[in-house]
Amino acid sequence: MTDEQESHLPQQAEEPKIFDFLIRGELVRGSVERMLLEMGLSTETSIEIEYVLAVPPPKDSAAHKQDDWLSDLSSFESDEAKFVVASLYDGCITIHKVDGCEDVAMQSKDKVSDGQVNAISPCHRKDGVPQGYLVATNDNDIKLLHFSMESNDCFQHVLVYKGHTDGVECLSAAPDDSRFVSGGWDSTICLWESASPANFLNSASGSKRQKTRGSTEDVEASEPLLKMTEHTQCVSTLDWVTANTVFSGSWDHHVKCWDVVSTKVLASYHSPHPVYAVSAETGKDTPCVAIGGGDNVVRLWDTRERQGEQSASIKLMAASHEGWITTVRWCPMTDYHFLSGSVDGHIKLWDIRAKVPLATVSTHTGKAFCATWLGKNFVASGGEDAMLRVAELTVH
């Protein structure tokens, strides 16, 4: 066949692109006329309309049944594949290989605690793959686990952090993995030095400190560098966003922005309800912060703006869920998107330029407790139905 003949063959049509439109930085939802009226603009006003690629509808999700409720999720990518790590209420951690939203295969299940695991946080990443995990439990301690997919037991206990006087609810590691913070039912935030699990394991090789499974009886203990005690009730959520900036949320209705060097509160927001989840834009000193708590409203705090003594300006208040908010998770790849999950079982995708969610990503039977991004193309979620769900979702 000649080149001339090939040029006359029918060409495969490109997939049509779908666009969203913005007026004054806000996504158009509904008619332009109605939006102009809501903005107080005349329909005779000359306006500039921008267009951006739209987020396509999420595809049906795959699901993998767990043995108990899921409390938290984390994810990472290696050269080989994408992986989701889930913590369970029965004290176990499971690892799943994700090959598209229709293939989610369990790779490992390890018992890491005799009690409930409330939160996990990856640490000491090498080429994007965690070398360790921090595990928060109801027994007042945080466990540092060495992580390796090449071992029969993927997790080995190398250190236990002791400093809380009640159950630990949340964890967040610094961007450089040198430190981490924890919070819990003693109303305290503890700052810790984060030991390298690989180095610690090597130094402890052959000694009684090297343990697997749930026991930490002979594992060496570490104490906090300092404690922050401004909250008066359970510290339920933490997010470490830049070198020395941490956001915390509490049942005392407050979200606080901390400088962990000076231990000073840089800004605060008083919520009308207990706060269960916060998540901030990645890597920004004055980010937008998504907030969820004891009502069905997702709030967006713009920390660049100040409003009275509480130094907080709420940029968005949107009631789309039918129950209180259990989790929020900002997309690490864009400045505009975040997820929310609720006791209504729904995981929703938001764009800060719109007042309504873009889509319902996943639906659980019972309460949804946790969600995480898996690259720019997948979202994982879990909850009371003991199902790990993975949906295909592409953000721009």
Side-chain angles (χ1 to χ4, degrees):
M1 183 180 295
T2 66
D3 292 342
E4 184 177 351
Q5 289 173 317
E6 286 186 358
S7 67
H8 287 85
L9 290 175
Q11 300 296 313
Q12 184 175 2
E14 288 188 12
E15 187 173 338
K17 292 182 173 62
I18 303 173
F19 294 94
D20 265 327
F21 299 91
L22 299 100
I23 297 176
R24 294 192 173 184
E26 186 174 323
L27 285 171
V28 176
R29 289 294 181 265
S31 70
V32 172
E33 181 181 11
R34 179 178 176 182
M35 188 170 182
L36 292 177
L37 288 173
E38 290 176 351
M39 291 181 166
L41 299 174
S42 167
T43 54
E44 296 181 1
T45 304
S46 177
I47 58 172
E48 183 177 298
I49 299 180
E50 301 175 71
Y51 66 92
V52 294
L53 280 173
V55 175
K59 295 184 179 179
D60 291 342
S61 61
H64 195 289
K65 183 71 174 178
Q66 309 291 296
D67 291 333
D68 209 334
W69 297 0
L70 285 79
S71 59
D72 201 6
L73 290 171
S74 179
S75 66
F76 66 90
E77 295 183 60
S78 68
D79 294 335
E80 176 189 354
K82 297 178 174 67
F83 295 89
V84 176
V85 181
S87 62
L88 308 182
Y89 275 61
D90 63 3
C92 291
I93 295 180
T94 60
I95 303 171
H96 301 263
K97 182 178 179 181
V98 178
D99 185 12
C101 67
E102 296 181 358
D103 187 4
V104 181
M106 183 184 291
Q107 304 292 296
S108 172
K109 179 178 180 180
D110 291 80
K111 181 77 171 179
V112 299
S113 175
D114 293 329
Q116 176 179 315
V117 176
N118 295 323
I120 54 175
S121 179
C123 61
H124 296 279
R125 284 154 280 217
K126 183 178 180 181
D127 298 326
V129 179
Q131 306 300 296
Y133 275 88
L134 297 160
V135 178
T137 67
N138 273 352
D139 60 9
N140 307 358
D141 298 333
I142 301 112
K143 299 173 174 63
L144 174 62
L145 310 177
H146 177 262
F147 171 68
S148 173
M149 293 285 288
E150 299 175 359
S151 172
N152 290 333
D153 289 305
C154 288
F155 297 97
Q156 289 183 297
H157 289 274
V158 293
L159 191 63
V160 60
Y161 294 91
K162 291 183 175 290
H164 286 282
T165 58
D166 208 335
V168 184
E169 277 291 300
C170 51
L171 297 164
S172 188
D176 65 357
D177 287 326
S178 62
R179 296 161 294 166
F180 72 94
V181 284
S182 60
W185 286 95
D186 58 4
S187 309
T188 300
I189 299 171
C190 291
L191 175 68
W192 312 83
E193 181 180 2
S194 183
S196 168
N199 293 343
F200 201 96
L201 189 65
N202 291 336
S203 68
S205 181
S207 78
K208 67 179 181 179
R209 292 183 301 178
Q210 184 176 341
K211 304 287 286 185
T212 60
R213 302 299 177 187
S215 173
T216 56
E217 181 181 352
D218 297 324
V219 175
E220 187 170 312
S222 178
E223 296 183 351
L225 298 173
L226 55 87
K227 294 184 177 183
M228 293 171 277
T229 57
E230 291 285 330
H231 285 295
T232 58
Q233 294 188 45
C234 173
V235 179
S236 51
T237 177
L238 291 163
D239 192 13
W240 195 320
V241 292
T242 58
N244 295 309
T245 305
V246 171
F247 286 88
S248 64
S250 169
W251 285 40
D252 65 9
H253 296 214
H254 282 91
V255 178
K256 296 181 183 293
C257 175
W258 301 83
D259 181 322
V260 295
V261 175
S262 65
T263 69
K264 291 183 178 179
V265 177
L266 304 177
S268 64
Y269 165 67
H270 184 266
S271 169
H273 298 274
V275 178
Y276 303 145
V278 297
S279 183
E281 287 179 279
T282 304
K284 293 190 177 181
D285 291 324
T286 52
C288 285
V289 183
I291 301 170
D295 62 358
N296 67 336
V297 177
V298 174
R299 293 172 173 84
L300 194 64
W301 172 19
D302 189 345
T303 61
R304 296 168 297 182
E305 301 179 10
R306 294 182 177 270
Q307 189 179 72
E309 294 183 356
Q310 68 171 1
S311 64
S313 176
I314 295 302
K315 185 175 182 178
L316 171 71
M317 293 178 60
S320 176
H321 286 288
E322 297 178 359
W324 72 79
I325 311 298
T326 55
T327 183
V328 289
R329 189 67 67 95
W330 206 280
C331 178
M333 286 76 64
T334 79
D335 292 334
Y336 302 111
H337 301 98
F338 67 91
L339 300 169
S340 66
S342 167
V343 294
D344 66 8
H346 297 306
I347 304 294
K348 299 197 175 192
L349 171 68
W350 298 82
D351 187 310
I352 65 173
R353 298 166 295 184
K355 296 178 181 178
V356 294
L358 298 186
T360 297
V361 181
S362 297
T363 300
H364 291 267
T365 303
K367 303 178 183 72
F369 291 145
C370 49
T372 192
W373 295 87
L374 186 52
K376 292 181 69 172
N377 301 105
F378 297 96
V379 168
S381 62
E384 190 180 35
D385 59 1
M387 300 296 292
L388 171 64
R389 298 189 180 276
V390 176
E392 186 172 354
L393 176 68
T394 302
V395 294
H396 307 287

